[in-house]
Amino acid sequence: MASQVASPSASLHTTSSSTTLSTPTQSPSSPSKLSPDDLELLAKLEEQNRLIETDSKSLRSVNGSRRNSGSSLVSSSSASSNLSHLEEDSWILWGRIVNEWDDVRKKKEKQVKELVRKGIPHHFRAIVWQLLCNAQSMTIKDQYSELLKMTSPCEKLIRRDIARTYPEHNFFKEKDSLGQEVLFNVMKAYSLVDREVGYCQGSAFIVGLLLMQMPEEEAFCVFVKLMQDYRLRELFKPSMAELGLCMYQFECMIQEYLPELFVHFQSQSFHTSMYASSWFLTIFLTTFPLPIATRIFDIFMSEGLEIVFRVGLALLQMNQAELMQLDMEGMLQHFQKVIPHQFDGGPEKLIQSAYQVKYNSKKKK
C-alpha cells in the first residue's frame, strides 16, 4: 500500500495546452444544535476515529483499493470488540444521513459539515462524496462508454504519466493493471469533454483517489463536478491564472498572520509556489500519506478549497520555528521530507489547528 506518493514537483507538470472563507465561531469538535441522539452517536464516531487512527493496520486499510475486504481494523481483541460496536453506531448514523440525504442536507447542513470534519467512514465515502457534490444523477454518465470509443489528442501524454500516479499503491503500480486502465479511461474521457483543459498530470492524483473509492463511471461524474463546481477547472487551465491567484492570496495571508516567516521566505527568495502549488492542485494528495490526505479530501468535498488555505496556514504555523532556522534548500527538504510524516498518528491535530486559523475572509476575497 502507498505510504507516500510522488513528490510535489513531479505532480505539477502541465502537459496540455471563489470560495469565500469564513472564520468559524467554534472548533469542529464542539458541534452545536445537535439532538441528544446525534450527540451520542457523534461521540461514538469520534471514539471510532481515535481507535482507527492509532492502529497502523487500520491506517493502511483506508488507502486500499476499492476491492478491499471489510477485515478487522484493529489488532487487539478488546479494541476490535469496541470498534465493532462503534462501527455499528457509525453505520447507523451515516446510513440515516445517506437515506435521508435531501432532508438532512436542507435542515442539518451544519451538523453534516461537523461530521464530515470528523471523517467519513471509508465504507460510505463513495456514496457520500457523490452526494456532497451532487454527482449521483448526472446525465453525462450515459456518455461515458461512448467517450471511451473516441480518440483523444492527450492519449500519449496520459499513458506516459499513468505510472507516475500513486506508483507505490497496489491498485496502480503494475503496468497495464486494472487501476492503470481505469485511470487512463477517466482521464481520457475528461480530456474529450473539456478540450480547453485537456489533461494535466496533477489532476490524475484526484482521479486516482476517486477510483480507490468507486467504479470508473461514478469517478468520472464526480471529477466532472469537482472541475466545474470546486474551482479545479480554473486551476488546471493552461494559463493556470487561478493557481497564481491562490498563491497570491495565500502569500498575503502569510504576510498578515505570520509576518516573521514571510520576511524569512522573502530573504531566502523562497516563493510560495515552490511548496504550495501542489497543495492546491492535488488537495495535499502528493503531500501526505493517503489516510491523512483522504481525511482532508473529505472536508474538501464538503467545503471546497477553503480547507487547503486553512491546512496550509496551519502547517506553516506549526513549522515556523524550524523553518526560520533554514535556508532555501533546507526549507525545501523540510517540506518534502519532514512535513509529510508529522501526522502519521492521525490528522486530528492538523484539522483542529486548521480551524483555529484566524483571518479576514473579506480581505482575502
Side-chain angles (χ1 to χ4, degrees):
M1 297 297 177
S3 61
Q4 180 66 26
V5 295
S7 67
S9 59
S11 72
L12 299 180
H13 177 58
T14 306
T15 52
S16 85
S17 25
S18 155
T19 303
T20 301
L21 306 186
S22 59
T23 304
T25 56
Q26 58 187 11
S27 77
S29 62
S30 56
S32 62
K33 299 181 181 178
L34 287 169
S35 69
D37 288 344
D38 287 341
L39 281 170
E40 182 181 356
L41 285 170
L42 179 57
K44 291 176 178 177
L45 184 59
E46 284 184 301
E47 176 64 12
Q48 180 200 11
N49 282 331
R50 186 189 66 77
L51 284 171
I52 289 174
E53 288 169 352
T54 53
D55 185 89
S56 60
K57 291 183 179 179
S58 70
L59 284 174
R60 289 195 295 272
S61 78
V62 176
N63 67 4
S65 77
R66 56 184 172 164
R67 297 173 291 180
N68 267 0
S69 64
S71 57
S72 176
L73 296 181
V74 284
S75 52
S76 72
S77 58
S78 60
S80 182
S81 175
N82 289 336
L83 188 58
S84 63
H85 293 300
L86 293 165
E87 266 200 313
E88 186 177 342
D89 287 330
S90 71
W91 271 72
I92 293 170
L93 176 58
W94 280 100
R96 193 168 72 206
I97 289 171
V98 168
N99 290 331
E100 303 170 9
W101 179 256
D102 290 338
D103 194 46
V104 168
R105 190 71 187 268
K106 291 176 183 175
K107 297 181 179 178
K108 294 189 176 182
E109 184 177 357
K110 289 184 179 179
Q111 289 91 324
V112 171
K113 191 178 290 187
E114 297 287 355
L115 286 169
V116 170
R117 291 177 188 176
K118 303 293 180 190
I120 302 168
H122 65 274
H123 315 82
F124 282 90
R125 276 201 171 103
I127 182 61
V128 173
W129 283 2
Q130 290 177 66
L131 291 169
L132 284 169
C133 69
N134 296 312
Q136 69 274 24
S137 56
M138 293 178 67
T139 56
I140 200 171
K141 184 177 180 181
D142 300 329
Q143 303 173 29
Y144 184 72
S145 60
E146 293 302 313
L147 289 168
L148 296 187
K149 298 174 185 176
M150 299 168 64
T151 300
S152 166
C154 300
E155 286 188 24
K156 282 189 176 180
L157 298 173
I158 297 171
R159 285 284 186 204
R160 184 196 68 187
D161 289 337
I162 286 293
R164 304 178 189 180
T165 307
Y166 300 115
E168 298 174 18
H169 195 288
N170 284 349
F171 191 46
F172 298 104
K173 69 181 181 181
E174 297 298 331
K175 191 177 187 306
D176 300 323
S177 64
L178 172 63
Q180 289 197 7
E181 193 57 36
V182 294
L183 180 57
F184 172 82
N185 287 346
V186 175
M187 300 307 304
K188 170 187 167 181
Y190 186 81
S191 72
L192 288 165
V193 300
D194 186 355
R195 292 179 183 267
E196 182 183 5
V197 171
Y199 165 70
C200 178
Q201 186 186 1
S203 61
F205 287 94
I206 294 172
V207 173
L209 181 68
L210 298 177
L211 288 167
M212 294 176 207
Q213 317 295 330
M214 62 191 77
E216 61 185 285
E217 295 88 348
E218 283 79 3
F220 172 68
C221 291
V222 172
F223 184 61
V224 169
K225 271 290 188 180
L226 294 180
M227 294 294 276
Q228 291 176 348
D229 298 345
Y230 286 67
R231 284 174 73 183
L232 290 189
R233 185 177 185 277
E234 301 303 313
L235 285 173
F236 286 119
K237 278 185 178 178
S239 69
M240 289 194 159
E242 187 78 3
L243 179 62
L245 173 61
C246 288
M247 293 297 96
Y248 173 72
Q249 290 172 321
F250 190 64
E251 189 170 299
C252 289
M253 290 168 62
I254 300 170
Q255 185 174 12
E256 181 170 359
Y257 300 110
L258 300 170
E260 293 181 3
L261 187 60
F262 176 81
V263 170
H264 180 64
F265 283 170
Q266 294 286 98
S267 70
Q268 294 295 320
S269 300
F270 192 61
H271 303 295
T272 310
S273 59
M274 295 171 71
Y275 61 91
S277 292
S278 65
W279 295 352
F280 288 87
L281 289 174
T282 69
I283 322 299
F284 291 102
L285 289 168
T286 55
T287 302
F288 294 117
L290 276 170
I292 310 298
T294 305
R295 283 287 303 280
I296 297 172
F297 203 86
D298 283 342
I299 302 172
F300 169 72
M301 293 295 298
S302 174
E303 304 180 35
L305 278 177
E306 171 179 335
I307 189 59
V308 181
F309 285 95
R310 288 187 173 281
V311 168
L313 205 60
L315 285 173
L316 296 185
Q317 286 178 333
M318 291 176 171
N319 287 274
Q320 179 172 357
E322 292 86 349
L323 292 169
M324 293 286 290
Q325 306 301 316
L326 300 171
D327 59 12
M328 179 197 286
E329 184 61 34
M331 288 190 287
L332 281 172
Q333 289 294 314
H334 191 83
F335 277 99
Q336 293 173 3
K337 305 294 185 184
V338 178
I339 287 178
H341 298 289
Q342 287 181 330
F343 307 97
D344 284 355
E348 302 306 329
K349 180 181 178 183
L350 177 59
I351 292 171
Q352 290 287 342
S353 298
Y355 282 96
Q356 290 167 2
V357 165
K358 297 178 180 179
Y359 50 82
N360 188 320
S361 60
K362 290 182 179 179
K363 187 175 291 187
K364 177 193 168 293
K365 189 175 182 179

